[in-house]
Amino acid sequence: MPNEELTRRVFLARTSQYLSLTFASPFFAFGQASIVSNPFTLGIASGDPTDDGVVLWTRLAPDPLNGGGMPSQRVDVAWEVASDERMEKVVKKGQAVAAPNLGHSVHAEVRGLDPDRWYWYRFKAGSYESPIGRTRTAPDPKKPVDKLSFAFASCQHYEAGFFTAYKHIVEEDIQLIVHLGDYTYEGAARPGRPRYHNSPEPTSLSDYRNRHALYKTDPDLQKAHQLYPWIVTWDDHELENNYAADMSEDGAPRDAFLERRANAYQAYYEHMPLRRSSLPKGSSMQLYRRLRFGDLAEFSVLDTRQYRTDQPCGDGNKPQCPEALADRATILGKEQERWFLDGLGKSNTRWNIIAQQVMMAKVDRKPGADQMFAMDQWNGYEAGRNRVLKYLHERKPSNPVVLTGDIHSNWVADLKIDFSDPKSATIGTEFVGTSITSGGDGADTQPLVEAYLPDNPHVRLYNNQRGYVKCSVTPERWQTDYRVMAFVEKPGGGIKTRASFVVENGRPGAERL
Ligand code: FE
Ligand code: CA
């Protein structure tokens, strides 16, 4: 649990900074005139669609890789939303403030739009206009919906390759992009890579801002944000590899780590199309939430990093240990776990999509009778996993489908009530999507993994190439297409479907097409 004292201290410090900037200078002219070059270098984005609106995002940064380059004053940003791509029929407009304490980011929550349709939008700041973006509202939550299609992605290490996958994503017949974490990586620049990070390992707010800015200057990533609304959640690398709540990977002092966490979380908020409900409070940030698409699907978007107990018996690959089975083991934290299960219990959509970070299905990584598990995944929190699986088994929310990132490889797994008994009930399906770049080019498979797959009969696919996953959902049928690329370490990689799986309504478990 976070140190309350420190949390409050950081929060007060930041709040007073915010208040002084908000109220100190009522006659201070907004700084339109002081923007002397294009402030839209980081692109534009939209996200978290509801049936009547979206959040529109940008961040003013004329000098993106060096702190942004804005004067330290508040700046008015105008936004408008149109029903046509040429922005001739403007249906909503408003003003937002880009404030220095939030890195001159803008999060404009638009309401009053019609459900289930495309819209176009743009920003104006000073004499500069942003490119035109496209977004889409969700369907009316009470109305029947016959199709939802989206792509999900994760793990885009900038140094590992090029974001060509996003060039292909924007060509798909989809309505939405879901990102499951590792949007940025915290490593220092290393020699001999396809591309380079712009600094040593970040710890301060300005370090993390510059790191996000580097990623956001990628043209393929910008295009994907410009053309589709996104639903995002983080994993570990937006802050630090394999951290657990307030515990750093390398045992940094807790106060210092929470201060670093506050910086990373704030920079994440500043660069994502998130609603004010996610505005960071000290070293905490509310990211778990639900989004509904008519009567067809509801996303439960989880945060398995901020509230988890420590990895049992240390991190890494280990035989199962008693701590993972102890009642207190939780990857969601008590409060989020209750919220998650309560919501599943009340949900009345046909599909219940669980968008989260680390693999939920049990995977034994040691060939032969001995067993070994990756403790950073749900394996390390077996008691918590059992609570979730038991709930799915007993309460039977309609068609649970888990979407996962993290491990830079493609997997399909049946979720079993008892993974040690292949004959036990299958109660849901997990689709693990590979990375955009992390791990580099990859190959179709690797012998080390193939060697232990026979120990895991509930695993239906393994593939070790880069790409993303496309999901096409109708009331009767879910189809998942694993889209993979031959290479990412050079630009220009092509895309193809490696495998497709179907889940029929009412029949948990994936069937290969
Ligand atoms: Fe990753
Ligand atoms: Ca084994």
Side-chain angles (χ1 to χ4, degrees):
M1 282 288 107
N3 176 329
E4 291 305 326
E5 210 31 60
L6 178 83
T7 304
R8 189 159 57 244
R9 186 157 54 77
V10 176
F11 175 60
L12 288 175
R14 282 158 195 256
T15 307
S16 59
Q17 183 193 14
Y18 176 72
L19 290 176
S20 67
L21 285 160
T22 310
F23 300 117
S25 316
F27 303 109
F28 199 85
F30 282 152
Q32 266 53 333
S34 54
I35 306 176
V36 293
S37 65
N38 174 28
F40 296 109
T41 58
L42 303 178
I44 56 174
S46 69
D48 277 18
T50 62
D51 62 315
D52 84 331
V54 291
V55 53
L56 304 179
W57 173 91
T58 191
R59 181 185 161 218
L60 306 183
D63 186 11
L65 304 183
N66 300 292
M70 287 292 291
S72 62
Q73 60 193 57
R74 292 152 55 82
V75 172
D76 258 356
V77 179
W79 55 264
E80 49 187 24
V81 175
S83 59
D84 67 304
E85 60 190 315
R86 300 174 64 184
M87 299 294 302
E88 284 170 354
K89 295 177 206 117
V90 171
V91 294
K92 290 279 165 198
K93 55 185 174 180
Q95 296 276 331
V97 171
N101 64 312
L102 288 173
H104 290 96
S105 61
V106 172
H107 300 80
E109 294 187 46
V110 182
R111 299 206 59 183
L113 302 178
D114 291 334
D116 204 16
R117 57 152 299 165
W118 295 104
Y119 282 98
W120 288 262
Y121 64 94
R122 74 178 154 203
F123 296 96
K124 289 177 191 174
S127 56
Y128 292 91
E129 240 173 41
S130 77
I132 295 171
R134 185 183 70 167
T135 190
R136 189 183 171 94
T137 48
D140 183 326
K142 296 177 291 290
K143 289 258 167 70
V145 170
D146 36 286
K147 192 176 179 197
L148 170 68
S149 52
F150 63 93
F152 73 90
S154 64
C155 294
Q156 47 197 44
H157 199 304
Y158 187 85
E159 295 191 312
F162 293 85
F163 295 168
T164 320
Y166 286 120
K167 261 195 176 49
H168 299 300
I169 278 191
V170 302
E171 301 293 327
E172 300 280 1
D173 173 22
I174 54 170
Q175 300 155 6
L176 181 73
I177 295 172
V178 179
H179 199 285
L180 300 177
D182 290 357
Y183 189 99
T184 56
Y185 280 73
E186 83 283 20
R190 282 187 294 170
R193 319 296 310 273
R195 299 197 288 183
Y196 298 101
H197 274 157
N198 51 342
S199 68
E201 186 160 330
T203 55
S204 71
L205 177 56
S206 64
D207 294 344
Y208 279 110
R209 278 178 179 158
N210 288 339
R211 184 56 59 92
H212 271 277
L214 174 69
Y215 281 62
K216 274 281 197 304
T217 51
D218 182 277
D220 297 327
L221 179 61
Q222 280 199 8
K223 201 69 171 172
H225 277 295
Q226 187 182 344
L227 290 176
Y228 295 95
W230 286 44
I231 297 173
V232 301
T233 185
W234 56 35
D235 191 21
D236 52 341
H237 287 287
E238 288 88 349
L239 165 50
E240 187 211 35
N241 181 52
N242 285 12
Y243 77 95
D246 56 358
M247 288 157 280
S248 85
E249 183 190 30
D250 50 14
R254 194 155 161 275
D255 284 6
F257 184 69
L258 278 180
E259 187 131 6
R260 183 179 177 192
R261 190 175 96 167
N263 295 333
Y265 283 10
Q266 181 171 334
Y268 184 83
Y269 175 79
E270 289 174 355
H271 290 84
M272 294 296 151
L274 287 167
R275 292 178 181 274
R276 263 184 298 276
S277 52
S278 290
L279 187 71
K281 295 189 173 76
S283 60
S284 303
M285 184 170 144
Q286 168 80 42
L287 198 53
Y288 63 83
R289 60 206 190 278
R290 284 193 185 88
L291 293 122
R292 183 176 168 126
F293 290 78
D295 67 348
L296 184 61
E298 183 170 81
F299 285 85
S300 296
V301 182
L302 303 185
D303 173 358
T304 59
R305 281 290 156 197
Q306 191 174 180
Y307 315 103
R308 60 162 74 189
T309 45
D310 200 7
Q311 291 95 346
C313 309
D315 197 358
N317 290 334
K318 303 268 161 63
Q320 196 55 297
C321 66
E323 285 90 330
L325 299 163
D327 228 21
R328 67 176 293 275
T330 173
I331 200 168
L332 296 175
K334 259 199 186 117
E335 208 175 306
Q336 181 180 199
E337 188 176 306
R338 193 178 313 118
W339 166 90
F340 172 47
L341 297 182
D342 283 355
L344 282 182
K346 287 185 199 124
S347 165
N348 55 9
T349 56
R350 177 63 60 93
W351 300 90
N352 284 287
I353 307 173
I354 300 157
Q356 54 101 48
Q357 295 77 19
V358 294
M359 196 160 179
M360 185 181 279
K362 192 168 192 164
V363 175
D364 166 16
R365 293 173 177 265
K366 187 156 190 178
D370 289 350
Q371 297 191 319
M372 202 160 73
F373 303 100
M375 289 302 172
D376 189 57
Q377 304 174 2
W378 285 73
N379 290 314
Y381 305 85
E382 192 160 344
R385 174 169 65 198
N386 287 341
R387 287 191 292 272
V388 169
L389 294 176
K390 186 160 174 279
Y391 190 94
L392 295 180
H393 190 50
E394 287 172 0
R395 298 287 295 267
K396 299 199 166 31
S398 184
N399 299 313
V401 176
V402 176
L403 308 181
T404 303
D406 177 47
I407 43 178
H408 314 164
S409 44
N410 288 311
W411 300 69
V412 176
D414 292 339
L415 294 171
K416 310 291 282 185
I417 190 65
D418 178 1
F419 286 102
S420 66
D421 176 8
K423 289 194 202 70
S424 76
T426 296
I427 53 185
T429 310
E430 180 170 22
F431 295 111
V432 182
T434 190
S435 58
I436 293 287
T437 53
S438 306
D441 287 346
D444 188 66
T445 189
Q446 45 177 328
L448 279 176
V449 176
E450 292 292 334
Y452 61 69
L453 287 183
D455 297 15
N456 300 280
H458 53 280
V459 171
R460 317 290 290 269
L461 174 77
Y462 170 75
N463 163 271
N464 187 34
Q465 287 167 294
R466 309 289 79 83
Y468 55 89
V469 182
K470 182 188 173 194
C471 302
S472 312
V473 188
T474 69
E476 291 309 317
R477 186 174 181 265
W478 173 300
Q479 180 168 332
T480 294
D481 299 309
Y482 280 90
R483 304 280 279 157
V484 302
M485 306 179 60
F487 58 87
V488 295
E489 293 173 14
K490 289 175 301 193
I495 194 96
K496 64 164 193 178
T497 298
R498 168 64 176 76
S500 296
F501 284 80
V502 162
V503 184
E504 304 284 351
N505 170 40
R507 289 184 49 199
E511 296 301 330
R512 186 148 183 180
L513 267 188

